[in-house]
Amino acid sequence: MKKPSFTVSSFGRTKYGEKARKFTLNGAGGVVLEVSDYGGKVVRLFTPDKRGKLKDVVVGFDSPAGWDSGDPYWGCIIGRYSNRIANGEFKIGGKKIKLPALNNAPGGIGCNLHGGARGWNAYVWKAEPFIDGTDVGVVFSHVSPDGDEGFPGKVEAKVKYTLTAKNVWRVDYEAMSDAVTPVGMTQHVYFNFKGEAGGTIEDHVMKIAAGKYLPTDAGQIPTGKLKDVAGTPFDFRKGMRIGEMINAPDRDLEIGKGYDHCWVLDPPKSSKSQWREDRRLRYAGDVFCPLNGRGVAVWTTEPCMQVYTANWASYDQTAKGGEHLSFRCGVALETQHAPDSPNKPKWPTTLLKPGEKFSSTTEFRFMAK
Ligand code: BGC
Protein backbone atom coordinates (compact mmCIF):
# COMPACT_ATOMS: atom_id res chain seq x y z
CA MET A 1 0.00 0.00 0.00
CA LYS A 2 1.23 3.48 -0.90
CA LYS A 3 1.01 6.60 1.22
CA PRO A 4 -1.91 8.72 0.01
CA SER A 5 -0.95 12.17 -1.30
CA PHE A 6 -2.29 15.09 -3.31
CA THR A 7 -1.02 17.96 -5.43
CA VAL A 8 -2.74 21.21 -6.43
CA SER A 9 -2.22 23.08 -9.69
CA SER A 10 -3.89 25.90 -11.59
CA PHE A 11 -6.45 24.88 -14.22
CA GLY A 12 -7.22 28.11 -16.12
CA ARG A 13 -10.26 30.35 -16.14
CA THR A 14 -13.89 29.44 -16.70
CA LYS A 15 -16.08 31.34 -19.17
CA TYR A 16 -17.54 33.12 -16.13
CA GLY A 17 -14.09 34.56 -15.37
CA GLU A 18 -13.47 32.42 -12.29
CA LYS A 19 -10.03 30.90 -11.67
CA ALA A 20 -10.10 27.12 -11.41
CA ARG A 21 -7.69 24.70 -9.79
CA LYS A 22 -7.00 21.02 -10.25
CA PHE A 23 -6.42 18.50 -7.45
CA THR A 24 -4.59 15.26 -8.15
CA LEU A 25 -5.46 12.67 -5.53
CA ASN A 26 -3.11 9.70 -5.32
CA GLY A 27 -5.01 6.97 -3.49
CA ALA A 28 -3.26 4.45 -1.26
CA GLY A 29 -4.71 1.59 -3.36
CA GLY A 30 -3.32 2.91 -6.66
CA VAL A 31 -6.31 4.79 -8.12
CA VAL A 32 -5.46 8.37 -9.16
CA LEU A 33 -8.26 10.94 -9.42
CA GLU A 34 -7.76 14.37 -10.98
CA VAL A 35 -10.64 16.75 -10.19
CA SER A 36 -11.24 20.44 -10.58
CA ASP A 37 -12.97 22.85 -8.22
CA TYR A 38 -14.89 23.95 -11.35
CA GLY A 39 -18.09 22.08 -10.49
CA GLY A 40 -16.11 19.16 -9.02
CA LYS A 41 -15.39 17.98 -12.56
CA VAL A 42 -13.40 14.81 -13.11
CA VAL A 43 -10.49 15.44 -15.43
CA ARG A 44 -8.80 12.04 -15.31
CA LEU A 45 -9.32 8.86 -13.33
CA PHE A 46 -6.75 6.10 -13.52
CA THR A 47 -7.76 2.61 -12.40
CA PRO A 48 -5.63 -0.56 -12.40
CA ASP A 49 -6.19 -3.79 -14.31
CA LYS A 50 -5.38 -7.16 -12.70
CA ARG A 51 -1.67 -6.60 -13.14
CA GLY A 52 -1.84 -3.12 -11.65
CA LYS A 53 -1.48 -1.31 -14.99
CA LEU A 54 -3.23 2.07 -14.80
CA LYS A 55 -5.50 3.51 -17.48
CA ASP A 56 -7.51 6.73 -17.56
CA VAL A 57 -11.15 5.60 -17.72
CA VAL A 58 -13.24 8.81 -17.89
CA VAL A 59 -14.21 11.43 -20.45
CA GLY A 60 -12.75 14.80 -19.39
CA PHE A 61 -11.06 17.95 -20.66
CA ASP A 62 -7.69 19.64 -20.22
CA SER A 63 -9.12 23.01 -19.20
CA PRO A 64 -12.40 24.71 -18.22
CA ALA A 65 -12.67 25.89 -21.84
CA GLY A 66 -13.19 22.26 -22.92
CA TRP A 67 -16.33 22.00 -20.81
CA ASP A 68 -17.40 25.52 -21.72
CA SER A 69 -17.29 24.68 -25.44
CA GLY A 70 -20.35 22.42 -25.44
CA ASP A 71 -22.19 20.03 -23.13
CA PRO A 72 -20.99 21.16 -19.69
CA TYR A 73 -21.97 18.08 -17.66
CA TRP A 74 -19.12 15.64 -18.35
CA GLY A 75 -17.93 14.42 -14.95
CA CYS A 76 -19.40 17.24 -12.85
CA ILE A 77 -21.46 17.64 -9.70
CA ILE A 78 -25.09 18.32 -10.62
CA GLY A 79 -27.28 20.58 -8.51
CA ARG A 80 -29.51 21.98 -7.20
CA TYR A 81 -31.74 19.36 -8.79
CA SER A 82 -30.42 16.60 -11.03
CA ASN A 83 -32.37 15.53 -14.06
CA ARG A 84 -35.62 16.93 -15.43
CA ILE A 85 -38.54 18.92 -14.03
CA ALA A 86 -41.43 18.98 -16.52
CA ASN A 87 -42.06 22.39 -18.03
CA GLY A 88 -39.76 23.83 -15.32
CA GLU A 89 -42.78 24.00 -13.03
CA PHE A 90 -43.91 22.60 -9.71
CA LYS A 91 -45.81 23.67 -6.61
CA ILE A 92 -44.66 24.06 -3.04
CA GLY A 93 -47.52 24.42 -0.53
CA GLY A 94 -49.90 25.39 -3.37
CA LYS A 95 -47.56 28.11 -4.67
CA LYS A 96 -46.42 27.72 -8.26
CA ILE A 97 -42.66 27.91 -8.86
CA LYS A 98 -41.50 28.63 -12.40
CA LEU A 99 -37.98 27.76 -13.53
CA PRO A 100 -36.41 28.19 -16.96
CA ALA A 101 -37.34 25.23 -19.18
CA LEU A 102 -34.47 25.27 -21.64
CA ASN A 103 -34.02 21.56 -22.30
CA ASN A 104 -36.20 20.01 -24.94
CA ALA A 105 -36.17 16.62 -26.56
CA PRO A 106 -37.92 16.44 -29.94
CA GLY A 107 -41.65 16.21 -29.23
CA GLY A 108 -41.35 17.50 -25.67
CA ILE A 109 -42.69 20.72 -24.14
CA GLY A 110 -39.42 21.80 -22.55
CA CYS A 111 -38.08 21.14 -19.07
CA ASN A 112 -35.59 22.25 -16.49
CA LEU A 113 -32.47 20.05 -16.67
CA HIS A 114 -29.67 19.68 -14.12
CA GLY A 115 -30.43 22.88 -12.21
CA GLY A 116 -30.95 25.28 -15.12
CA ALA A 117 -28.88 27.48 -17.41
CA ARG A 118 -26.07 27.86 -14.89
CA GLY A 119 -26.31 24.92 -12.54
CA TRP A 120 -23.90 24.18 -9.72
CA ASN A 121 -21.67 22.41 -12.24
CA ALA A 122 -20.75 25.82 -13.67
CA TYR A 123 -19.37 27.42 -10.49
CA VAL A 124 -15.91 27.23 -8.98
CA TRP A 125 -16.53 25.69 -5.55
CA LYS A 126 -14.51 26.35 -2.41
CA ALA A 127 -12.18 23.35 -2.14
CA GLU A 128 -10.17 21.90 0.72
CA PRO A 129 -7.98 18.87 0.04
CA PHE A 130 -7.31 16.51 2.95
CA ILE A 131 -5.49 13.38 4.02
CA ASP A 132 -7.12 11.31 6.75
CA GLY A 133 -5.25 8.11 7.62
CA THR A 134 -5.18 6.08 4.40
CA ASP A 135 -7.85 8.28 2.74
CA VAL A 136 -7.19 11.27 0.51
CA GLY A 137 -9.83 13.65 -0.80
CA VAL A 138 -11.30 17.10 -1.31
CA VAL A 139 -14.23 18.80 0.36
CA PHE A 140 -16.09 21.11 -2.01
CA SER A 141 -18.58 23.70 -0.77
CA HIS A 142 -20.91 26.08 -2.56
CA VAL A 143 -23.60 28.56 -1.55
CA SER A 144 -26.54 28.91 -3.91
CA PRO A 145 -28.53 32.10 -3.20
CA ASP A 146 -32.30 32.36 -2.82
CA GLY A 147 -33.81 32.60 -6.31
CA ASP A 148 -30.82 30.94 -8.01
CA GLU A 149 -32.12 29.75 -11.42
CA GLY A 150 -35.64 30.37 -10.06
CA PHE A 151 -35.38 27.96 -7.10
CA PRO A 152 -36.56 29.24 -3.71
CA GLY A 153 -34.23 29.31 -0.69
CA LYS A 154 -30.56 29.78 -0.03
CA VAL A 155 -28.83 26.40 -0.07
CA GLU A 156 -25.45 25.62 1.44
CA ALA A 157 -24.05 22.51 -0.22
CA LYS A 158 -21.05 20.35 0.54
CA VAL A 159 -19.67 17.49 -1.53
CA LYS A 160 -16.81 15.38 -0.23
CA TYR A 161 -14.75 13.21 -2.60
CA THR A 162 -12.75 10.51 -0.80
CA LEU A 163 -10.36 8.01 -2.35
CA THR A 164 -9.80 5.04 -0.06
CA ALA A 165 -7.02 2.45 0.17
CA LYS A 166 -9.50 -0.08 -1.30
CA ASN A 167 -9.82 1.91 -4.55
CA VAL A 168 -13.23 3.27 -3.66
CA TRP A 169 -14.17 6.79 -4.72
CA ARG A 170 -16.81 7.82 -2.20
CA VAL A 171 -18.97 10.89 -2.83
CA ASP A 172 -20.81 12.31 0.18
CA TYR A 173 -23.38 15.03 -0.46
CA GLU A 174 -24.88 17.36 2.14
CA ALA A 175 -27.13 20.40 1.89
CA MET A 176 -29.14 22.73 4.14
CA SER A 177 -31.72 25.26 2.97
CA ASP A 178 -33.46 28.24 4.58
CA ALA A 179 -36.71 27.60 2.65
CA VAL A 180 -38.48 24.56 1.23
CA THR A 181 -36.81 23.67 -2.07
CA PRO A 182 -36.09 20.56 -4.14
CA VAL A 183 -32.53 19.28 -3.75
CA GLY A 184 -31.01 16.31 -5.51
CA MET A 185 -27.34 16.11 -6.35
CA THR A 186 -25.45 13.56 -8.38
CA GLN A 187 -22.07 12.95 -10.03
CA HIS A 188 -22.15 12.90 -13.82
CA VAL A 189 -18.91 11.04 -14.56
CA TYR A 190 -18.79 9.10 -17.85
CA PHE A 191 -16.78 5.90 -17.81
CA ASN A 192 -15.08 4.27 -20.75
CA PHE A 193 -12.93 1.45 -19.42
CA LYS A 194 -11.17 1.03 -22.75
CA GLY A 195 -9.49 4.30 -21.89
CA GLU A 196 -9.07 7.68 -23.50
CA ALA A 197 -10.39 7.80 -27.08
CA GLY A 198 -11.75 4.29 -26.46
CA GLY A 199 -14.71 4.73 -28.83
CA THR A 200 -18.12 3.34 -27.96
CA ILE A 201 -19.01 1.71 -24.63
CA GLU A 202 -21.46 -0.66 -26.34
CA ASP A 203 -19.08 -3.58 -25.69
CA HIS A 204 -19.08 -2.95 -21.92
CA VAL A 205 -21.12 -5.35 -19.80
CA MET A 206 -23.56 -3.74 -17.38
CA LYS A 207 -25.63 -5.01 -14.48
CA ILE A 208 -28.39 -3.02 -12.79
CA ALA A 209 -30.09 -4.19 -9.60
CA ALA A 210 -33.53 -3.05 -10.70
CA GLY A 211 -36.67 -4.91 -11.70
CA LYS A 212 -38.37 -1.68 -12.77
CA TYR A 213 -37.60 1.46 -14.76
CA LEU A 214 -39.43 4.68 -15.56
CA PRO A 215 -40.82 5.00 -19.09
CA THR A 216 -41.01 8.60 -20.31
CA ASP A 217 -43.03 10.81 -22.62
CA ALA A 218 -41.47 12.25 -25.76
CA GLY A 219 -39.90 15.05 -23.68
CA GLN A 220 -38.11 12.46 -21.48
CA ILE A 221 -40.36 13.14 -18.49
CA PRO A 222 -41.41 9.99 -16.58
CA THR A 223 -45.03 9.15 -17.29
CA GLY A 224 -45.55 8.28 -13.62
CA LYS A 225 -45.70 4.51 -14.20
CA LEU A 226 -43.09 1.99 -13.05
CA LYS A 227 -42.54 -0.64 -15.74
CA ASP A 228 -41.18 -4.17 -15.25
CA VAL A 229 -37.87 -4.67 -17.02
CA ALA A 230 -38.66 -8.36 -17.67
CA GLY A 231 -38.84 -9.04 -21.40
CA THR A 232 -37.61 -5.53 -22.35
CA PRO A 233 -34.20 -4.14 -23.42
CA PHE A 234 -34.02 -2.64 -19.90
CA ASP A 235 -33.42 -5.96 -18.15
CA PHE A 236 -29.82 -5.76 -16.91
CA ARG A 237 -30.43 -7.83 -13.78
CA LYS A 238 -28.19 -10.68 -14.89
CA GLY A 239 -25.71 -8.54 -16.82
CA MET A 240 -25.82 -7.74 -20.54
CA ARG A 241 -23.62 -6.01 -23.07
CA ILE A 242 -24.76 -2.38 -23.28
CA GLY A 243 -24.97 -2.69 -27.07
CA GLU A 244 -26.88 -5.96 -27.03
CA MET A 245 -30.34 -4.36 -27.31
CA ILE A 246 -29.60 -0.63 -27.42
CA ASN A 247 -30.84 -0.34 -31.01
CA ALA A 248 -33.86 -2.64 -30.55
CA PRO A 249 -37.18 -1.31 -31.82
CA ASP A 250 -38.54 0.03 -28.54
CA ARG A 251 -40.38 3.30 -27.98
CA ASP A 252 -38.45 4.17 -24.82
CA LEU A 253 -35.09 3.58 -26.51
CA GLU A 254 -36.20 5.64 -29.50
CA ILE A 255 -37.07 8.57 -27.23
CA GLY A 256 -33.69 8.41 -25.49
CA LYS A 257 -31.73 7.56 -28.65
CA GLY A 258 -30.39 4.72 -26.52
CA TYR A 259 -30.28 4.37 -22.75
CA ASP A 260 -31.16 7.63 -21.02
CA HIS A 261 -33.52 6.30 -18.40
CA CYS A 262 -34.04 6.00 -14.70
CA TRP A 263 -34.03 2.55 -13.10
CA VAL A 264 -35.83 2.13 -9.77
CA LEU A 265 -33.34 0.18 -7.68
CA ASP A 266 -34.71 -2.93 -6.00
CA PRO A 267 -35.73 -2.23 -2.42
CA PRO A 268 -34.82 -4.76 0.28
CA LYS A 269 -37.01 -7.90 0.08
CA SER A 270 -38.63 -7.05 3.42
CA SER A 271 -39.80 -3.64 2.15
CA LYS A 272 -43.43 -3.04 1.24
CA SER A 273 -42.53 0.00 -0.87
CA GLN A 274 -41.44 -0.20 -4.52
CA TRP A 275 -38.65 2.24 -3.68
CA ARG A 276 -35.50 2.08 -1.60
CA GLU A 277 -36.52 4.45 1.13
CA ASP A 278 -34.33 3.26 4.01
CA ARG A 279 -31.31 5.29 2.79
CA ARG A 280 -28.79 2.49 3.35
CA LEU A 281 -25.77 2.06 1.12
CA ARG A 282 -26.65 -0.77 -1.27
CA TYR A 283 -25.41 -2.24 -4.53
CA ALA A 284 -26.93 -0.50 -7.57
CA GLY A 285 -25.06 -2.09 -10.45
CA ASP A 286 -21.74 -2.44 -12.22
CA VAL A 287 -20.05 -1.92 -15.57
CA PHE A 288 -17.02 -3.85 -16.86
CA CYS A 289 -14.93 -3.80 -20.00
CA PRO A 290 -14.52 -7.42 -21.15
CA LEU A 291 -11.34 -6.54 -23.08
CA ASN A 292 -9.20 -5.48 -20.13
CA GLY A 293 -11.30 -6.43 -17.09
CA ARG A 294 -11.47 -2.93 -15.62
CA GLY A 295 -14.77 -1.93 -14.12
CA VAL A 296 -16.74 -0.29 -11.35
CA ALA A 297 -19.47 -1.35 -8.95
CA VAL A 298 -21.80 1.39 -7.77
CA TRP A 299 -23.23 1.45 -4.25
CA THR A 300 -25.62 4.15 -3.16
CA THR A 301 -28.11 5.41 -0.59
CA GLU A 302 -30.28 6.78 -3.43
CA PRO A 303 -33.43 4.99 -4.65
CA CYS A 304 -32.72 5.31 -8.39
CA MET A 305 -30.00 5.36 -11.02
CA GLN A 306 -30.22 7.20 -14.33
CA VAL A 307 -28.06 5.43 -16.90
CA TYR A 308 -27.05 7.58 -19.83
CA THR A 309 -24.98 6.30 -22.74
CA ALA A 310 -24.02 9.72 -24.20
CA ASN A 311 -26.61 9.65 -26.97
CA TRP A 312 -27.20 13.40 -27.17
CA ALA A 313 -23.61 14.52 -26.70
CA SER A 314 -22.32 17.50 -28.62
CA TYR A 315 -19.73 15.94 -30.85
CA ASP A 316 -17.75 19.05 -31.70
CA GLN A 317 -16.07 18.87 -28.32
CA THR A 318 -12.46 17.75 -28.16
CA ALA A 319 -11.56 16.05 -24.91
CA LYS A 320 -8.14 15.72 -23.28
CA GLY A 321 -5.49 14.12 -25.41
CA GLY A 322 -7.23 15.39 -28.54
CA GLU A 323 -10.01 12.80 -28.37
CA HIS A 324 -12.94 13.86 -30.49
CA LEU A 325 -16.07 12.95 -28.57
CA SER A 326 -18.19 10.42 -30.35
CA PHE A 327 -21.64 8.88 -30.09
CA ARG A 328 -21.87 6.67 -26.97
CA CYS A 329 -18.28 7.34 -25.93
CA GLY A 330 -19.08 6.95 -22.22
CA VAL A 331 -21.64 5.67 -19.76
CA ALA A 332 -22.88 7.78 -16.84
CA LEU A 333 -24.29 6.02 -13.77
CA GLU A 334 -26.15 8.83 -12.06
CA THR A 335 -27.50 7.88 -8.65
CA GLN A 336 -30.43 10.06 -7.64
CA HIS A 337 -34.13 10.36 -6.84
CA ALA A 338 -36.56 9.96 -9.71
CA PRO A 339 -36.69 12.67 -12.39
CA ASP A 340 -39.58 15.12 -12.03
CA SER A 341 -40.08 14.12 -8.36
CA PRO A 342 -41.38 17.62 -7.48
CA ASN A 343 -44.41 16.80 -9.68
CA LYS A 344 -44.82 13.20 -8.51
CA PRO A 345 -46.17 13.48 -4.94
CA LYS A 346 -46.41 9.70 -4.47
CA TRP A 347 -42.71 9.15 -5.16
CA PRO A 348 -39.95 9.65 -2.55
CA THR A 349 -39.70 13.38 -1.95
CA THR A 350 -36.81 15.63 -2.93
CA LEU A 351 -38.12 18.60 -0.95
CA LEU A 352 -35.64 19.82 1.63
CA LYS A 353 -37.11 21.80 4.53
CA PRO A 354 -35.37 24.39 6.70
CA GLY A 355 -33.74 22.73 9.69
CA GLU A 356 -33.37 19.41 7.86
CA LYS A 357 -30.17 18.11 6.35
CA PHE A 358 -29.98 16.56 2.89
CA SER A 359 -27.46 13.77 2.85
CA SER A 360 -26.61 11.15 0.30
CA THR A 361 -23.66 8.85 -0.42
CA THR A 362 -22.51 7.02 -3.53
CA GLU A 363 -19.46 4.80 -3.82
CA PHE A 364 -17.69 3.93 -7.05
CA ARG A 365 -15.77 0.75 -6.21
CA PHE A 366 -13.13 0.13 -8.87
CA MET A 367 -12.04 -3.41 -9.58
CA ALA A 368 -10.53 -5.64 -12.23
CA LYS A 369 -11.62 -9.11 -13.35
C1 BGC B 1 -29.51 13.29 -19.17
C2 BGC B 1 -29.41 13.43 -20.66
C3 BGC B 1 -28.69 14.71 -20.96
C4 BGC B 1 -27.34 14.66 -20.31
C5 BGC B 1 -26.57 15.93 -20.53
C6 BGC B 1 -28.13 13.25 -18.62
O1 BGC B 1 -28.15 13.13 -17.23
O2 BGC B 1 -30.23 12.14 -18.78
O3 BGC B 1 -30.69 13.43 -21.25
O4 BGC B 1 -28.58 14.91 -22.34
O5 BGC B 1 -27.45 14.43 -18.96
O6 BGC B 1 -25.25 15.74 -20.27
Side-chain angles (χ1 to χ4, degrees):
M1 204 167 67
K2 293 192 290 190
K3 256 184 120 185
S5 64
F6 66 82
T7 56
V8 186
S9 53
S10 64
F11 196 52
R13 266 183 207 276
T14 75
K15 69 173 176 187
Y16 305 97
E18 292 175 319
K19 256 195 188 160
R21 287 184 297 164
K22 189 177 81 172
F23 301 83
T24 301
L25 311 177
N26 302 297
V31 167
V32 178
L33 176 61
E34 290 179 23
V35 295
S36 171
D37 52 6
Y38 185 28
K41 292 170 165 77
V42 181
V43 180
R44 288 187 181 78
L45 172 68
F46 295 89
T47 71
D49 67 6
K50 264 198 136 168
R51 277 165 290 142
K53 198 170 161 231
L54 293 175
K55 203 185 253 297
D56 177 13
V57 299
V58 296
V59 182
F61 300 84
D62 271 324
S63 68
W67 274 278
D68 291 342
S69 69
D71 186 302
Y73 303 117
W74 305 92
C76 67
I77 297 166
I78 306 266
R80 155 179 328 197
Y81 185 81
S82 359
N83 218 313
R84 296 182 163 81
I85 299 176
N87 208 17
E89 270 177 17
F90 57 96
K91 282 189 182 151
I92 294 181
K95 189 177 160 227
K96 191 159 154 188
I97 312 284
K98 181 76 190 134
L99 314 172
L102 303 171
N103 181 263
N104 204 356
I109 52 164
C111 64
N112 184 271
L113 176 71
H114 294 336
R118 188 176 181 192
W120 292 358
N121 58 291
Y123 287 86
V124 169
W125 291 45
K126 191 170 153 224
E128 290 170 52
F130 68 88
I131 291 178
D132 182 5
T134 55
D135 291 347
V136 57
V138 194
V139 178
F140 295 110
S141 41
H142 177 67
V143 180
S144 164
D146 177 30
D148 190 10
E149 289 291 330
F151 286 99
K154 171 179 155 194
V155 176
E156 296 183 30
K158 208 183 245 184
V159 180
K160 182 178 177 188
Y161 288 180
T162 306
L163 212 52
T164 76
K166 290 195 164 152
N167 286 341
V168 175
W169 170 27
R170 191 171 62 240
V171 187
D172 294 299
Y173 305 87
E174 266 179 32
M176 301 276 283
S177 177
D178 65 2
V180 182
T181 194
V183 170
M185 287 182 265
T186 192
Q187 222 300 335
H188 211 293
V189 63
Y190 289 82
F191 296 108
N192 185 328
F193 288 101
K194 284 186 286 186
E196 208 173 275
T200 174
I201 42 67
E202 287 178 34
D203 54 0
H204 286 35
V205 175
M206 179 161 75
K207 229 187 222 178
I208 307 176
K212 294 186 193 301
Y213 76 102
L214 302 177
T216 70
D217 66 14
Q220 294 191 280
I221 303 296
T223 59
K225 298 217 163 68
L226 276 66
K227 186 169 171 182
D228 285 336
V229 298
T232 77
F234 293 82
D235 192 350
F236 281 90
R237 288 173 296 179
K238 293 204 169 108
M240 174 165 72
R241 242 180 2 99
I242 293 178
E244 185 84 27
M245 301 199 73
I246 201 167
N247 298 317
D250 175 278
R251 184 179 143 77
D252 288 320
L253 286 175
E254 277 156 26
I255 291 170
K257 280 178 68 185
Y259 294 110
D260 188 6
H261 297 83
C262 187
W263 273 258
V264 179
L265 299 171
D266 290 336
K269 287 214 170 70
S270 55
S271 165
K272 288 201 181 89
S273 167
Q274 312 200 65
W275 305 86
R276 287 187 185 181
E277 290 188 271
D278 61 346
R279 315 289 277 147
R280 284 192 32 206
L281 196 64
R282 290 176 200 279
Y283 172 77
D286 57 47
V287 172
F288 280 89
C289 170
L291 301 174
N292 61 38
R294 288 184 184 81
V296 67
V298 180
W299 287 63
T300 186
T301 59
E302 287 297 308
C304 301
M305 184 160 76
Q306 175 92 6
V307 175
Y308 177 51
T309 48
N311 317 312
W312 302 101
S314 143
Y315 310 118
D316 336 334
Q317 277 173 288
T318 304
K320 59 187 149 59
E323 174 193 1
H324 205 69
L325 298 183
S326 53
F327 188 50
R328 298 185 181 152
C329 61
V331 55
L333 307 164
E334 309 160 43
T335 51
Q336 54 190 244
H337 273 52
D340 202 33
S341 292
N343 291 308
K344 305 282 195 290
K346 290 195 178 135
W347 291 1
T349 186
T350 47
L351 290 182
L352 179 65
K353 299 186 185 126
E356 285 178 1
K357 192 197 247 175
F358 168 92
S359 69
S360 167
T361 295
T362 292
E363 289 190 355
F364 297 102
R365 303 183 179 180
F366 298 104
M367 44 194 87
K369 280 186 177 170

